[in-house]
Amino acid sequence: MTNTTNASREVLIKATGLRKSYEDFVAVNGIDFEVFKGESFGFLGPNGAGKSTTMRIIAATLTRSGGELTILGKDPQSNGPEIKAHLGVVPQADNLDNALTVEENLYIYGRYFGLPKNFIREKIEELLDFAQLMDKRSVKVEALSGGMKRRLTIARALVSEPEILMLDEPTTGLDPQARHILWDRLFRLKEQGVTLLITTHYMDEAEQLCDRIMVMDKGSIMAEDSPAGLIKKYSTREVLEVRFGSDRNYVVAPQLEVMADRIEVLPDRILLYAENGEALLHEMNEKGLHPVTSLVRRSSLEDVFLRLTGRTLVE
Amino acid sequence: MAYKPRQGSLKIVDVAQISRVGALSVTEARLRIMWKFAWSVGVTAALNPTLYMLSVGIGVGKLINAHSGSVDGVKYLTFLAPALLATAAIQNSMDEVVFPVLEGFKWTKSFFAINSTPVSARQIADGVLFAAILRTAFSVTIYGVVIYLFGGFTSGRGWVAIPLALFAGAAFGAFIMGIAVAAKNDDTFFMLLGRFVMMPLFLFSGTFYQLTTMPIFLRWIGWLSPLWHTTELGRYLTYGHHLSLAMVCVHVGYLIAMFGFGLRYAHQQFEKRLSK
């Protein structure tokens, strides 16, 4: 987060009372938010929270049911192509052209933006380098690994030098190594001042990549702040995780409640929120409570989400 | 060379230009994909008509010519040529819209990627159809050359059947494209299309004999078929098959209507599917 105040920053996306409802359910329930130029803004929430629906409304591929929305000062409902011209969209599932090579996928996508052939050819060199796919340029997409396809989809979205890059669950389904490579690439974009809009249900991803996070659940906003701000506001500095065995967790919980700022009893473990986890563990031992396992860690967004919704992010 | 946005999309993307010619970028992409299969496209385009000419045109034709001397006043190959061209055009354009539509909406979902760009849903449909028309133009031209080499065009007007067949291909392609968007199950769709659309059209549209030869209760298949309307017009234009002015108008009107309504339906289906 920069030191610049929000009031002086250029607003690229502004939503007021944004709503999307279908016949039998409400996917997005009147949410308000602003995204500023050059920031990395994340929608964090479990599957079905309304993150992807919100992204599709912003991307001008889904019409909203109510509320106001402007992107670069225009309403996507009435200016679809004008908005799409300045967005780079990375969908949840890679929708690349399997019959074409890596290079050709970048080329034809550039053509959809009406870009001149010479410009695209130059841009392809940059993007292949960025996506670490130089040696795969002539390989058909179907032969690429999941991580490579993901990087190519991101590179493809950058061919038109978009004002806003939208990434829907960018690392879902990738192995840890592929995730870290991707995070590194997205960090580089952030450094170059590209505005990023990310949906994720991975708290570590949100913490790593986002300047500001909007926590969503069941179509509504639960909280919005920087990762550190959210943790400070909704959790303690440390968390003590203890396991007494699935039968005993609920039995000992009342005794622990008085010792910590707050506790959460999960089926497999108990979370005790405190400023000093080690001191709390020591106190427990002194009172004759000896957990089978114990772990002291710093609070995370998972704890924030648990506090806000009473549920874990990935259930 | 690292990625570096130098100008930004606000400067380099011309939305007004895309609104005019965006469909051509989709056509360009389709042609690129077709080029990957150029060898098979070329061989099919040349081999199919050659085999037809040898078996039906010459083989069956010899039998018919020996038996009755001619059909509709001309030799059998001349009678058959407009129908074969129309069939080839319809089959080609159908293949070139159905497979991309299923691929774009179901298999790779690449149409959803294009829908994230300034290219509109209608332009995607137009681009796919135009690419199908280009591929069909290539195939029916080759077909026309083979027919010519086998002596199927007895008058100087024989070539007129080529653009006519192409228009029939475009009309049928537009219509089938809209239907393919709504296909829920690929296998069932292909089975239904092959068995209950293409095969009856091919057999009951006056392709190998005049429709009037058929019993009246089967002729309706021909009346509904773009193949029959195209074949009748083709025979009229190439060797002077008798048609009243009213029937000429009916045939032309049918094909224009099929193209117009087909394209409109395809546009609606593309827009509906891409905004779900």
Side-chain angles (χ1 to χ4, degrees):
Chain A
M1 191 84 169
T2 65
N3 292 328
T4 324
T5 59
N6 287 348
S8 65
R9 300 173 72 191
E10 186 184 342
V11 177
L12 294 191
I13 303 171
K14 182 176 170 64
T16 315
L18 186 67
R19 184 181 161 81
K20 178 68 187 178
S21 57
Y22 296 92
E23 274 178 20
D24 51 352
F25 90 109
V26 178
V28 178
N29 194 9
I31 60 173
D32 302 339
F33 62 90
E34 285 181 338
V35 179
F36 302 102
K37 188 179 175 71
E39 81 169 329
S40 177
F41 188 86
F43 296 98
L44 177 71
N47 293 331
K51 310 181 302 285
S52 296
T53 304
T54 306
M55 288 285 257
R56 285 199 58 206
I57 296 171
I58 295 169
T61 56
L62 190 67
T63 53
R64 63 180 183 267
S65 310
E68 299 297 321
L69 178 67
T70 55
I71 296 151
L72 301 163
K74 289 178 181 166
D75 184 340
Q77 208 118 305
S78 47
N79 301 276
E82 286 88 343
I83 301 295
K84 288 174 178 178
H86 309 301
L87 302 179
V89 178
V90 180
Q92 220 172 98
D94 302 313
N95 45 23
L96 297 156
D97 252 309
N98 282 340
L100 297 175
T101 64
V102 167
E103 193 173 3
E104 286 172 324
N105 264 278
L106 295 172
Y107 175 81
I108 61 158
Y109 208 69
R111 297 294 287 157
Y112 297 142
F113 284 89
L115 301 173
K117 291 175 185 176
N118 288 342
F119 175 89
I120 302 173
R121 299 230 178 270
E122 269 181 41
K123 190 54 78 182
I124 284 173
E125 300 307 314
E126 288 177 25
L127 293 172
L128 287 175
D129 181 51
F130 167 79
Q132 296 173 302
L133 290 169
M134 244 351 169
D135 56 337
K136 300 283 181 188
R137 64 189 307 153
S138 302
V139 172
K140 272 192 184 177
V141 165
E142 58 196 359
L144 299 180
S145 69
M148 288 174 183
K149 282 183 186 173
R150 211 76 192 116
R151 297 205 298 275
L152 176 59
T153 308
I154 294 172
R156 184 181 71 170
L158 293 170
V159 75
S160 58
E161 300 189 352
E163 297 297 309
I164 303 165
L165 181 64
M166 302 174 67
L167 302 116
D168 197 359
E169 303 282 357
T171 63
T172 298
L174 298 186
D175 60 52
Q177 192 192 0
R179 289 183 81 196
H180 282 280
I181 294 174
L182 206 67
W183 284 353
D184 169 63
R185 299 293 101 179
L186 294 175
F187 260 128
R188 285 165 197 249
L189 290 177
K190 230 176 91 144
E191 283 170 1
Q192 288 175 353
V194 176
T195 307
L196 300 178
L197 208 59
I198 301 166
T199 76
T200 182
H201 62 268
Y202 295 128
M203 56 178 178
D204 51 348
E205 187 161 278
E207 280 192 66
Q208 288 272 346
L209 297 174
C210 300
D211 299 320
R212 242 169 6 113
I213 293 168
M214 197 166 87
V215 182
M216 289 184 78
D217 190 36
K218 294 174 184 164
S220 299
I221 300 172
M222 308 305 290
E224 186 202 307
D225 207 332
S226 64
L230 284 171
I231 291 167
K232 197 174 172 189
K233 206 181 290 180
Y234 296 101
S235 194
T236 51
R237 199 169 70 91
E238 289 187 338
V239 185
L240 170 61
E241 289 194 11
V242 289
R243 285 183 165 86
F244 287 90
S246 49
D247 294 339
R248 286 201 66 215
N249 282 345
Y250 286 95
V251 178
V252 299
Q255 288 173 267
L256 300 177
E257 252 170 7
V258 291
M259 296 163 66
D261 292 0
R262 185 170 67 86
I263 78 163
E264 292 282 352
V265 186
L266 303 178
D268 63 330
R269 64 196 193 279
I270 301 173
L271 308 180
L272 296 105
Y273 293 90
E275 286 306 303
N276 188 334
E278 287 293 348
L280 182 58
L281 182 61
H282 184 70
E283 189 186 339
M284 275 173 58
N285 287 331
E286 279 191 336
K287 289 187 177 175
L289 294 166
H290 301 286
V292 180
T293 63
S294 64
L295 167 76
V296 176
R297 61 169 173 81
R298 295 185 73 86
S299 272
S300 71
L301 289 171
E302 181 79 43
D303 301 300
V304 172
F305 191 79
L306 194 60
R307 168 77 186 276
L308 291 168
T309 67
R311 293 180 291 119
T312 53
L313 259 169
V314 184
E315 289 187 315
Chain B
M1 193 195 295
Y3 169 75
K4 183 79 187 156
R6 280 181 288 270
Q7 301 174 72
S9 59
L10 290 167
K11 283 188 185 154
I12 60 175
V13 181
D14 183 349
V15 182
Q17 188 211 2
I18 297 167
S19 72
R20 290 191 301 274
V21 295
L24 291 179
S25 61
V26 179
T27 301
E28 187 183 347
R30 285 296 315 144
L31 293 178
R32 238 168 216 281
I33 293 170
M34 282 181 211
W35 185 247
K36 305 269 171 191
F37 308 97
W39 191 83
S40 102
V41 168
V43 169
T44 311
L47 206 61
N48 261 356
T50 307
L51 293 178
Y52 255 108
M53 287 298 104
L54 288 171
S55 64
V56 182
I58 294 182
V60 179
K62 199 168 185 180
L63 190 70
I64 290 170
N65 293 338
H67 203 258
S68 58
S70 66
V71 179
D72 203 18
V74 291
K75 66 176 184 172
Y76 189 58
L77 197 53
T78 305
F79 171 79
L80 203 57
L84 290 182
L85 280 170
T87 307
I90 283 172
Q91 182 71 53
N92 265 280
S93 72
M94 189 184 79
D95 288 349
E96 280 305 333
V97 295
V98 169
F99 281 99
V101 163
L102 290 175
E103 187 177 43
F105 281 118
K106 293 195 75 174
W107 300 337
T108 63
K109 297 186 185 295
S110 56
F111 287 173
F112 292 94
I114 309 174
N115 192 45
S116 297
T117 74
V119 175
S120 70
R122 284 175 179 226
Q123 287 176 317
I124 300 173
D126 292 345
V128 170
L129 184 62
F130 188 49
I133 291 170
L134 292 177
R135 152 85 199 274
T136 304
F138 170 74
S139 295
V140 292
T141 303
I142 301 277
Y143 215 126
V145 169
V146 174
I147 290 173
Y148 173 77
L149 293 176
F150 275 84
F153 294 142
T154 47
S155 77
R157 300 193 308 271
W159 65 271
V160 177
I162 295 174
L164 179 70
L166 190 56
F167 184 65
F172 191 68
F175 176 69
I176 285 292
M177 186 162 64
I179 292 173
V181 178
K184 288 198 168 60
N185 182 311
D186 317 346
D187 294 338
T188 314
F189 180 70
F190 281 119
M191 189 269 287
L192 291 174
L193 200 61
R195 289 187 194 168
F196 298 108
V197 180
M198 281 315 288
M199 190 55 82
L201 287 194
F202 191 50
L203 294 177
F204 299 103
S205 295
T207 313
F208 300 104
Y209 41 79
Q210 299 212 58
L211 193 63
T212 46
T213 320
M214 295 295 292
I216 189 78
F217 64 90
L218 280 178
R219 285 187 207 167
W220 64 270
I221 300 175
W223 299 336
L224 291 177
S225 161
L227 191 50
W228 177 66
H229 294 279
T230 314
T231 300
E232 284 289 284
L233 274 178
R235 286 174 181 155
Y236 168 74
L237 291 170
T238 55
Y239 66 82
H241 165 67
H242 175 72
L243 273 185
S244 65
L245 182 62
M247 281 313 289
V248 170
C249 292
V250 166
H251 295 315
V252 171
Y254 177 95
L255 292 177
I256 291 173
M258 181 174 239
F259 182 76
F261 286 116
L263 194 57
R264 193 171 163 210
Y265 179 62
H267 284 162
Q268 285 171 348
Q269 289 296 101
F270 268 67
E271 282 175 342
K272 191 173 153 194
R273 185 80 183 260
L274 288 170
S275 62
K276 258 187 188 171

